[in-house]
Amino acid sequence: MTKTLTKSLGFAAAVALAGAVVVTPAISAESGGEHHIAHQQWSFAGFFGHYDKDQLQRGFRVYKDVCAACHGLSRVAFRNLVENGGPEFPEESVKALAAEWPNQITDGPDDEGKMFQRPAKLSDRILGPYKNEKEARAAQNGALPPDLSLMTRARNTHNEAAWPMHILLMARDIATGYQEGGANYVYALLTGYHEAPAGFKLADGMNYNVAFPGNQVAMPNVLDGGPVNYADGQEKYEGPKASQEQNARDVSAFLSWAADTSLNERKRIGWQVMLYLLITTILLFVAKKRLWAKFH
Amino acid sequence: MSSHAEESNRRDFLVIAANAFAGVGAAVTLWPFIQQMNPDKSALALASTEVDLSPVKEGQAITVMWRGKPVFIRNRTADEVKSAQDVPVKELPDDVARNENLAADAPATDQNRTAKGHENWLVVIGICTHLGCIPKGQALGDAKGDYGGWFCPCHGSHYDTAARIRKGPAPRNLDVPPFAFISDTKIKIG
Amino acid sequence: MSSHESNYKPTSRFGKWLDDRLPVGRLMHGQFVDFPTPRNLNYWWTFGGILTFCLVAQLVTGIVLAMHYQPSAAEAFNSVDHIRRDVNYGWMIQAMHATGSSMFFLAAYIHLFRGLYYGSYKAPREILWILGVFIILAMMATAFMGYSLPWGQMSFWAVTVITNLFSSLDSIIPGVGTAIVQWLWGGYSVSGSTLNRFFALHYLLPFVIVGLVALHIWALHVVGQNNPAGLDIKTKSDSVPMYPYAVAKDAVGLFAFLLVFAWFVFFLPDYLGHADNFIEANPLVTPPHIVPEWYFLPYYAILRAVPSKLGGVILMFASIAILAFAPWLDTARVRSSKYRPIYKWFFWLFVFTCLALGYLGAKPAEGSYVAWARVFTAYYFLHFIVVMPILGLIETPKKLPGSITEDVLGPGAGKGATAGAAAAPETR
């Protein structure tokens, strides 16, 4: 028994070592890949990951000032913006924000049997400007601005590197608890607008983007019109300076939260569970060893 | 021999510790499985409702939903207020106000059933305290019972114009939910 | 069931009273306390217990999710999102159930390969083994229908593609395949009716699995456990009582397995799924790559390796059905591959084949991927119909230990008094 265990431990160690040796250069080699979706560092990735409240607040500003012109966030409620583990805005300011949100809630029927529009409340969802897909397409030259509530989870979590790098990067992501491919994608898309290379046929009204599959995207480079100002309305602002790159990073973080609002709680409970399981496994193993000692 | 006993003690301790750890883990795991049946976050978010009272004229009543329950809101006439105020508390079957905004032992005076400065407005949960039916008396043509308030058709409980039980099997006055006036024509329930 | 004495003695008066009327305590004590387990079992044998845990965990989390889930085309996707966002600990229970299916298959495949390596399918364990194959099939059906329930893009298109496999029967009797597919769908396309019946069946099938598992354990307790040496229990010193010895070892295995399980639940809940399933089902748009869950990838590779539609379907089902014939295809005189110097290599080649098919199943069906898928598909079947029967006849096995006790303690052991006394069941 001991022999088998030593053998398997040795094997595991060898695999880990081989993994570490090969993965390290792999990370630097990856950024030049075909899909141009680079691996990013996020505060919420990995074992100790949690959202940066200030970053989510900045990201929400970007969403509100830029994205919300076309995209809804209809699975997220205004109350979520107040809750723990999110941007944690003060309740009063979110109430005011909800009341002023341009896309009002359809309610009713009223006493005359008609549906009516009313300002949003904390319990209402954050709606986009379009009532349905047809209206959106009509307003956007046939393109559909998707709802962003689940966007980071709905984009590829896995790396697209070629064999055998693919397997090694997978091993790295599993070992470090990294599943932020969706945030990487959103960030890459928002910073991926370039001049189309010579000879590339760009359809009318489309924009060239290195991150988008097929490289043609209907959404223009929206963060181009000067960065969203973070300091506005605050007496003392000490956060990062607003730039297009920073805007893209912050809104990617915000959308990651929007798609996965329970991440902070999940990882907090997660490491407690891992710690408990580790201790119990060791205890059980030692107890088993003693119990079996006389049979070896 | 002593080393043998020592070893078996240590083994027992280890086995007990390992079992205890595993057992506690199993017990803690139960918690989320029990918690999941409690009202979820979206249900809790609807825990308060704001109601605009401006369209309700004197003598009229409306019913609104709060936490899935009907809430009766009546704009009482001066006569109705007076008849409720004139009843001595000791004549009431239930002499406690049943008002969540007041102390649990507040007497069931008409003042204690309403909000100060808005005595014409009565706000109560419209569920009979007997077995949970919805009393009649909200619509104009409804039977309002012997005391001009509400009448529960299930087992014949009569409530007065302050929604206090006067006759019949119901044990308590209709409950006044937690509410507050946020302006002269607007209340927030919950 | 098996021929060992139960030293069950009810201690309380109620215990005695019950034992005379319904000896359930005696049955449990005999089967799960005193039951003799070979003393040379390694940690690969803890996966039976782990699988029992997986089944119970899937049942419990599944029933809880059914309290919040709505099986309608309009609300299914929203209700799963609601579970993750708003239900108390819903994110945890949903992740446990979704990750749990992967963990269940992981454990089942390890269990299966362990059986293949140590010859656990060989006489007298044929029925035990075939029941295991049925369990795998029932698990696959359950997992497939469960995957449709979130009603995301991948759910919808997986159902469309897999149910359409039955339309290949049209090439035998025209019209029959189409009729079966429409019967499965309850319409002319995959729709809310399909979802609703899949939900009902997804709720039912796990209880069928429970029944099959009960038979599987029954069969196991009749013939006794196989072991790394592939020898039978002959003397008392060859075995230890299940409780506390095997149970203690199973507990270590289970908790080590839970470490992996919890890692995925809490740190990688999306990793084993597919991003497209976070987009609501849309019957007008097919995702660019339709890929099944990882545990179906090898079969998917076999399906696509065959140029004929019907042929692919037949080969895919045959890849599982052929497992059931292993007890008769393997002609070797010894059970365990530990003592088969040549077959051992073929076993690892077979493992590599399954992993390679899994990798190819995730790749687009084009170019060299298909060519390699054909090579590995061919070996998958050759392993069973050529290697197993022929190698068993020509290979000379290594010398087996004299007994299970000798396997643990070395040659000559097991006759002395020490080992015999130590292995006697504890009466504590």
Side-chain angles (χ1 to χ4, degrees), chain A residues 277 280-281 284, chain B residues 22, chain C residues 43 45-54 57 107 246-262:
Chain A
L277 285 175
T280 312
T281 308
L284 285 167
Chain C
Y43 273 101
W45 259 268
T46 62
F47 279 87
I50 289 170
L51 282 162
T52 313
F53 169 84
C54 286
V247 171
K249 197 164 189 167
D250 281 349
V252 179
L254 174 62
F255 271 77
F257 181 80
L258 286 178
L259 274 168
V260 179
F261 198 148

Side-chain angles (χ1 to χ4, degrees), chain A residues 47 75 79 149 153-155 158 163 170 174-175 179 258 262 265-266 270 274 281 284 288 292 294-295, chain C residues 39 43 77-78 81 85-86 91 245 252 255 258-259 263 266-271 275 278 359 422 426:
Chain A
F47 188 61
R75 294 180 188 279
R79 66 183 160 83
S149 317
R153 287 179 114 171
R155 290 297 175 267
H158 305 286
W163 166 273
M170 240 169 83
I174 290 174
Q179 57 163 18
S262 49
E265 188 189 10
R266 170 157 66 76
M274 294 306 290
T281 308
L284 285 167
K288 181 256 158 196
W292 278 77
K294 59 186 171 194
F295 295 127
Chain C
R39 66 188 286 181
Y43 273 101
F77 190 83
N78 294 338
D81 193 60
R85 284 177 197 273
D86 290 335
W91 57 267
Y245 301 103
V252 179
F255 271 77
L258 286 178
L259 274 168
W263 182 254
F266 291 102
F267 296 97
L268 296 160
D270 297 344
Y271 199 83
F278 281 99
Y359 177 77
E426 284 217 345

Side-chain angles (χ1 to χ4, degrees), chain B residues 7 12 19 28 80 84-85 97 100-101 135 180 182 188:
Chain B
E7 182 170 291
D12 286 348
N19 283 341
V28 172
E80 285 173 335
Q85 283 173 346
E100 292 229 24
N101 306 288
I182 48 178
K188 183 185 174 190

Side-chain angles (χ1 to χ4, degrees), chain C residues 144-369:
Chain C
F144 167 66
M145 289 195 247
Y147 193 62
S148 74
L149 304 185
W151 212 235
Q153 272 290 67
M154 215 38 105
S155 300
F156 184 91
W157 291 99
V159 174
T160 304
V161 168
I162 300 303
T163 48
N164 259 319
L165 290 179
F166 289 95
S167 68
S168 61
L169 293 172
D170 278 347
S171 62
I172 308 175
I173 311 167
V176 169
T178 311
I180 290 176
V181 171
Q182 286 178 1
W183 175 75
L184 285 172
W185 286 345
Y188 299 104
S189 65
V190 174
S191 65
S193 327
T194 324
L195 174 65
N196 219 328
R197 64 189 58 184
F198 275 25
F199 175 66
L201 293 171
H202 180 71
Y203 206 117
L204 167 73
L205 273 177
F207 296 98
V208 175
I209 298 180
V210 169
L212 287 168
V213 166
L215 291 177
H216 192 67
I217 294 174
W218 185 5
L220 173 75
H221 281 224
V222 170
V223 295
Q225 282 166 293
N226 186 30
N227 55 77
L231 299 170
D232 296 325
I233 295 175
K234 288 184 204 111
T235 61
K236 210 159 192 192
S237 75
D238 283 348
S239 72
V240 292
M242 182 159 169
Y243 181 85
Y245 301 103
V247 171
K249 197 164 189 167
D250 281 349
V252 179
L254 174 62
F255 271 77
F257 181 80
L258 286 178
L259 274 168
V260 179
F261 198 148
W263 182 254
F264 277 96
V265 167
F266 291 102
F267 296 97
L268 296 160
D270 297 344
Y271 199 83
L272 296 167
H274 200 287
D276 275 311
N277 234 19
F278 281 99
I279 303 170
E280 192 168 2
N282 181 352
L284 300 177
V285 183
T286 307
H289 298 293
I290 301 183
V291 184
E293 293 290 87
W294 69 267
Y295 40 80
F296 289 142
L297 288 172
Y299 315 109
Y300 196 56
I302 292 175
L303 172 76
R304 296 188 309 178
V306 185
S308 126
K309 186 172 168 182
L310 182 64
V313 176
I314 289 172
L315 227 53
M316 184 176 76
F317 283 109
S319 69
I320 297 161
I322 201 163
L323 287 169
F325 296 95
W328 296 278
L329 291 167
D330 186 355
T331 53
R333 282 168 290 138
V334 298
R335 292 198 185 104
S336 174
S337 301
K338 246 170 104 178
Y339 305 102
R340 301 183 61 186
I342 308 173
Y343 179 76
K344 202 189 250 177
W345 290 102
F346 282 99
F347 171 81
W348 289 111
L349 178 62
F350 180 71
V351 172
F352 180 77
T353 298
C354 294
L355 293 175
L357 283 171
Y359 177 77
L360 294 166
K363 292 285 155 195
E366 58 199 26
S368 60
Y369 291 132

Side-chain angles (χ1 to χ4, degrees), chain A residues 79-80 83 95 111 121 123 125 261 265 276 279-280 283-284 286-287 290-291 294, chain B residues 7 10-11 14-15 17-19 21-26 41-42 45-46 50 188:
Chain A
R79 66 183 160 83
N80 295 133
E83 285 164 5
K95 263 190 183 161
D111 295 342
K121 294 189 281 196
S123 58
R125 309 297 184 97
T261 47
E265 188 189 10
Y276 159 76
I279 294 172
T280 312
L283 265 179
L284 285 167
V286 177
R290 300 214 143 244
L291 206 55
K294 59 186 171 194
Chain B
E7 182 170 291
R10 223 174 123 195
R11 196 188 86 185
L14 268 164
V15 170
N19 283 341
F21 258 76
V24 168
K41 282 196 217 152
S42 60
L46 300 174
E50 287 180 16
K188 183 185 174 190

